[in-house]
């Protein structure tokens, strides 16, 4: 997301604010503000982009002003710099979410939020490719139970009321669906950070221009190999690689932030240096290595998963390349945070989740637990969740456990009350609860579920759980 690439100072600021807002009196006053949209408005008043409507809002704005400026002074930020950051509605929404989360739950490890920071919206099952690893089992036609446009707008209304900061439109292929354009435009107008996860083949010059015009900020294109034939074979359609690369160039040309997403398997594991080289040649802003999760069509190719040693070796390589600069490199493997933490003294950067980096203040260098408290590794059901084409809510796109439906149950009700989501937020009762890194990593809950049918089970991709991986390999052979 854009604040992850440009607003790292905001993350430092938030870490201090979380400690300060732990004060019971401050928590009480924030709760009195009532709802996310009001807190967002109060932050807007402080930033100078909103007007006060009454005396109460004026007094609340003074409280927020005192909190932010006291926190900012600890890191050498003046009030003008803080106000400048908060002019972005996305930053205001994210900060309001943290403030409300602390006021509701207190200080937790990792921190519970009032609402998900980001929604991955699998907008449609329509897709023009036939990827072997597709978790969505996408098809050329839309599903019969896909929401109508008015229902999709109702989903967006509920996410706005909840204070969600970012939406990543995914699928299937979202650019195939005609409803994507009005919904994405409305979401950007509300002030959310809008990104699109796409196979890139449909991003013509005209589509790229339109994406920019409606307020999309980031486009993430899936490429599985630096070699056209290998990518096309995995994606099931000839010419897919060339069209995806063309899409990246078109998106960059109009000024969109662009990333390449690669699902790493044994097939392309050895090609990652060339993938990074390709990413740099295309001058993309970010490279994300997706954990292979054996769900959806991925169940049929479980043998292509990496071993714990292969994964950790790869994560170490990614971190070293990240430190070279000019390209952000992340991974959806939550143990990437552990790898980055081991190098914290070298560059002061850590990747606490797969879409952000933190520049760590010197005072936190020796306090490992503080690094994880901000975002804390696996975010399934905690800092993000997914919504399906029919409004069903899942903890993660790779974790096929339905916890409710936006239209039938109400989004915030599900987010606050679901037993499954509450379970995912409790790191002290996982299989890895004795691990010192449980708050900054927590293991991939989707992998635990895929392999052991238990969301609190061990993640076999972790080097600490190698015995479980060896058992899985033995069972595969039998």
């Amino acid at each position: 997301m854009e604040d992850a690439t440009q607003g790292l100072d905001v993350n430092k600021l938030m870490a201090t604010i979380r400690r300060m807002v732990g004060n019971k009196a401050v928590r009480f006053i924030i709760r009195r503000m009532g709802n996310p949209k009001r807190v967002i408005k109060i932050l807007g008043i402080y930033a100078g982009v909103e007007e006060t409507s009454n005396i109460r809002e004026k007094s609340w704005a003074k409280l927020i002003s005192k909190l932010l400026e006291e926190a900012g002074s600890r890191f050498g930020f003046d009030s003008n710099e803080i106000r400048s950051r908060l002019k972005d509605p996305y930053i205001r929404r994210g900060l309001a979410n943290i403030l409300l989360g602390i006021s509701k739950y207190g200080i937790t490890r990792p921190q519970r939020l009032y609402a998900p920071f980001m929604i991955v919206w699998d907008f449609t099952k329509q897709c023009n490719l036939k990827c072997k690893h597709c978790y969505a089992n996408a098809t050329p036609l839309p599903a019969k139970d896909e929401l109508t446009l008015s229902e999709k707008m109702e989903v967006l209304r509920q996410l706005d009321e909840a204070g969600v900061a970012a939406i990543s439109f995914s699928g299937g292929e979202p650019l195939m669906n005609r409803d994507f354009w009005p919904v994405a435009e409305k979401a950007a107008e509300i002030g959310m950070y809008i990104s699109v996860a796409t196979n890139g083949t449909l991003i013509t010059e005209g589509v790229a221009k339109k994406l920019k015009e409606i307020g999309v900020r980031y486009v993430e294109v899936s490429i599985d190999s630096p070699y056209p034939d290998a990518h096309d074979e995995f994606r099931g359609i000839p010419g897919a690689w060339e069209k995806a690369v063309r899409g990246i160039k078109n998106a960059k040309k109009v000024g969109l932030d662009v990333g390449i997403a690669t699902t790493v398997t044994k097939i392309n594991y050895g090609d990652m240096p060339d993938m990074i080289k390709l990413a740099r040649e295309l001058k993309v802003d970010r490279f994300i290595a997706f954990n292979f999760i054996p769900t959806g069509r991925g169940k049929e190719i479980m043998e292509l998963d990496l071993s714990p040693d292969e994964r950790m070796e790869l994560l170490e390589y990614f971190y070293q390349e990240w430190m070279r600069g000019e390209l952000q490199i992340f991974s959806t493997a939550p143990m990437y945070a552990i790898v980055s933490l081991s190098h914290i003294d070298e560059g002061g950067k850590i990747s606490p989740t797969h879409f952000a980096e933190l520049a760590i203040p010197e005072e936190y260098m020796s306090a490992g637990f503080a690094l994880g408290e901000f975002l804390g590794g696996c975010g399934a059901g905690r800092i993000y969740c997914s919504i399906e084409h029919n409004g069903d809510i899942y903890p993660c796109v790779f974790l096929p456990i339905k916890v409710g439906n936006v239209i039938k149950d109400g989004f915030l009700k599900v987010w606050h009350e679901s037993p499954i989501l509450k379970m995912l937020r409790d790191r002290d009762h996982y299989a890895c609860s004795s691990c010192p890194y449980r708050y900054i990593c927590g293991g991939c809950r989707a992998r635990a579920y895929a392999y052991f049918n238990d969301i609190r089970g061990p993640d076999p991709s972790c080097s600490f759980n190698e015995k479980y991986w060896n058992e899985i390999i033995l069972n595969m052979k039998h």
Side-chain angles (χ1 to χ4, degrees), residues 432-447:
C432 52
S433 62
S434 61
C435 177
Y437 300 111
R438 64 187 180 277
Y439 298 130
I440 66 168
C441 173
C444 174
R445 296 300 94 209
R447 291 177 60 80

Side-chain angles (χ1 to χ4, degrees), residues 346-390:
E346 301 169 14
K349 286 187 178 182
I350 184 173
S351 175
T353 189
H354 69 265
F355 55 81
E357 67 178 38
L358 291 176
I360 305 302
E362 187 175 349
E363 65 181 276
Y364 295 155
M365 292 281 191
S366 61
F369 72 90
L371 308 180
E373 285 186 351
F374 179 69
L375 293 175
C378 181
R382 191 179 54 80
I383 62 171
Y384 58 79
C385 69
S386 72
I387 296 176
E388 288 293 294
H389 64 283
N390 59 1

Side-chain angles (χ1 to χ4, degrees), residues 132-342:
K132 290 182 178 180
H133 61 313
C134 180
Y135 65 81
N137 289 310
T139 62
L141 299 175
K144 293 180 180 179
D145 59 346
E146 183 174 304
L147 298 177
T148 64
L149 177 57
S150 62
E151 288 172 327
K152 291 169 183 173
M153 287 298 188
E154 169 59 18
V155 170
L156 183 59
R157 185 196 68 78
Q158 291 193 34
L159 298 183
D160 179 31
E161 290 292 325
V164 170
I167 295 179
S168 175
F169 287 92
S170 187
E173 174 50 59
L175 298 182
M176 285 188 72
N177 192 277
R178 63 184 181 182
D179 291 344
F180 161 77
W181 299 100
V183 176
E185 184 172 22
K186 181 65 176 178
E189 180 184 307
I190 288 169
M192 295 178 178
Y193 185 104
I194 305 304
S195 62
V196 182
T198 170
N199 60 46
T201 61
L202 303 180
I203 305 179
T204 61
E205 290 185 357
V207 168
K209 183 179 179 181
K210 190 174 180 181
L211 287 169
K212 181 71 173 179
E213 288 173 349
I214 69 169
V216 171
R217 297 200 197 186
Y218 174 67
V219 173
E220 191 168 278
V221 178
S222 299
I223 296 182
D224 290 309
S225 174
Y227 316 122
D229 290 345
H231 173 85
D232 293 354
E233 197 277 333
F234 204 61
R235 293 282 165 173
I237 299 292
W241 190 91
E242 289 186 3
K243 291 179 180 178
V245 169
R246 180 200 63 187
I248 288 172
K249 292 178 179 178
N250 289 336
K252 287 292 296 181
K253 191 182 300 182
V254 299
L256 289 164
D257 280 349
V258 181
I260 289 178
T262 298
T263 300
V264 184
T265 66
K266 288 188 183 296
I267 292 176
N268 61 2
Y269 167 72
D271 300 335
M272 289 304 103
D274 284 344
M275 277 300 307
I276 298 296
K277 181 181 178 183
L278 175 65
R280 287 199 162 102
E281 288 175 350
L282 293 174
K283 293 181 171 56
V284 300
D285 304 279
R286 180 177 305 155
F287 176 84
I288 299 183
F290 271 75
N291 242 352
F292 169 68
I293 312 291
T295 189
R297 286 204 287 264
K299 290 180 180 179
E300 301 169 12
I301 53 173
M302 291 176 68
E303 69 278 4
L304 298 183
D305 202 357
L306 301 184
S307 70
D309 287 345
E310 288 171 330
R311 182 169 281 99
M312 293 304 288
E313 179 183 345
L314 187 62
L315 294 178
E316 178 66 34
Y317 166 74
F318 285 147
Y319 186 83
Q320 296 300 332
E321 287 294 316
W322 178 23
M323 290 301 99
R324 283 180 55 193
E326 298 181 351
L327 177 68
Q328 287 189 313
I329 301 177
F330 300 135
S331 173
T332 61
M335 55 282 305
Y336 192 44
I338 300 175
V339 172
S340 58
L341 181 60
S342 69

Side-chain angles (χ1 to χ4, degrees), residues 6 108 136 138 381 420:
Q6 299 178 4
T108 63
I420 295 294

Side-chain angles (χ1 to χ4, degrees), residues 44-62:
I45 292 170
Y46 173 73
V49 296
E50 296 272 6
E51 297 292 333
T52 55
S53 302
N54 50 55
I55 296 296
R56 180 176 291 180
E57 285 186 354
K58 189 174 182 179
S59 64
W60 285 340
K62 285 184 178 180

